[in-house]
């Protein structure tokens, strides 16, 4: 899965992609942006679907990308306990918009 996200107080949007093993990756974020382990990762608000940003994870670790050292390779751990998750409901309002 892929989700539009913002990390901490950075004023830049990124894409978070699930990578299995109860974690996700954020790539394509230039190293000029300062990160900290534990920074919150927010799903971006989308009018009619998500009215406010919500915390979906925290930065577990980050390093320079092996293929492009000008970008971060960021590992995100979800804030919810996936192993205890029983039900997921996706509600889409106004699906024709």
């Amino acid at each position: 899965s892929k989700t539009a996200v913002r990390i901490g107080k950075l004023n830049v949007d990124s894409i978070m992609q699930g990578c299995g093993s109860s974690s996700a990756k954020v790539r394509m974020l230039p190293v000029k942006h300062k990160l900290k382990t534990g920074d919150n990762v927010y799903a971006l608000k989308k009018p009619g679907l998500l009215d406010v940003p919500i915390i979906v994870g925290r930065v577990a670790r980050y390093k320079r990308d092996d293929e492009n050292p000008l970008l971060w390779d960021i590992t995100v751990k979800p804030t919810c306990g996936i192993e205890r998750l029983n039900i997921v409901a996706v509600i889409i309002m106004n699906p024709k918009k």
Side-chain angles (χ1 to χ4, degrees), residues 4 25 28-29 31 33 43 56 61 65 69 75 82 86 91:
K25 291 283 190 176
M28 305 301 292
L29 183 69
V31 295
H33 299 289
V56 293
R61 64 185 168 276
D65 189 286
T75 302
I82 296 294
N86 294 322
I91 300 170

Side-chain angles (χ1 to χ4, degrees), residues 46-51 54 87-96:
K46 183 172 182 174
L49 182 61
L50 187 59
D51 293 331
I54 60 168
I87 298 171
V88 174
V90 178
I91 300 170
I92 299 176
M93 300 176 71
N94 302 322
K96 296 192 187 263

